[in-house]
Amino acid sequence: MYKTLASLLLSGLALLNLSGCASTSGPKQTRAVYHVNTDVNTVPAILNNIRNHYNAAPQDKIVVVTHGPGINFLLQDAKDSQGREFSGTVGDLASKGVEFRVCNNTLVTRNISPDRVVMEARIVPSGVAEVARLQAQEGYVYLKP
């Protein structure tokens, strides 16, 4: 009787372990913060990097933090020197869960109304402080494309 009970317990534990393995298998989520502080002419390549990242690892949490000239592509009607707009790509990435954050210090220093920031972006008090916070407190890896 003890042998049968022990067998049943071991079988049950084995099943629990197998089901636990099945539920935890699969791609793990990485948290990545993309730091953008360069002008709009660098943004098409940066957005392409972010799109490639998302396509390769859609489970990842991606946050784009901007400050200085890096905020320009997140202003309404923004275009690069070749006339390419960013709103379509930003909207597409945002619909997939990519978050965009704009530095309020930059807005204030440059006297830009918060109303000019695209609706897909959130304003944070400081871009550099947000990058540091995401890394130190939330475990994000830092990417500077």
Side-chain angles (χ1 to χ4, degrees):
M1 178 169 170
Y2 291 114
K3 208 174 206 182
T4 306
L5 186 57
S7 276
L8 286 171
L9 283 171
L10 287 173
S11 295
L13 288 173
L15 285 173
L16 284 173
N17 282 339
L18 287 175
S19 67
C21 289
S23 67
T24 59
S25 66
K28 293 190 177 195
Q29 182 185 62
T30 298
R31 295 181 206 170
V33 56
Y34 283 79
H35 179 197
V36 180
N37 65 344
T38 52
D39 73 41
V40 293
N41 292 312
T42 64
V43 172
I46 292 169
L47 291 175
N48 192 51
N49 286 338
I50 295 165
R51 186 182 307 109
N52 289 342
H53 181 158
Y54 175 82
N55 289 338
Q59 75 282 356
D60 285 1
K61 178 72 174 157
I62 301 172
V63 177
V64 180
V65 179
T66 65
H67 67 93
I71 74 162
N72 293 351
F73 82 100
L74 293 173
L75 299 177
Q76 292 175 5
D77 302 318
K79 296 178 185 174
D80 69 8
S81 63
Q82 296 178 4
R84 294 179 289 197
E85 294 184 7
F86 305 107
S87 58
T89 304
V90 168
D92 180 55
L93 289 169
S95 74
K96 294 174 179 172
V98 175
E99 295 180 19
F100 294 87
R101 300 183 185 168
V102 173
C103 174
N104 189 60
N105 287 337
T106 299
L107 294 174
V108 170
T109 300
R110 293 176 50 194
N111 199 26
I112 298 172
S113 170
D115 296 340
R116 291 202 45 218
V117 175
V118 297
M119 68 178 179
E120 294 86 359
R122 186 178 97 197
I123 298 171
V124 295
S126 166
V128 292
E130 184 70 359
V131 169
R133 186 187 69 75
L134 288 170
Q135 290 179 83
Q137 295 177 19
E138 295 191 31
Y140 278 69
V141 295
Y142 176 83
L143 296 170
K144 179 72 169 125

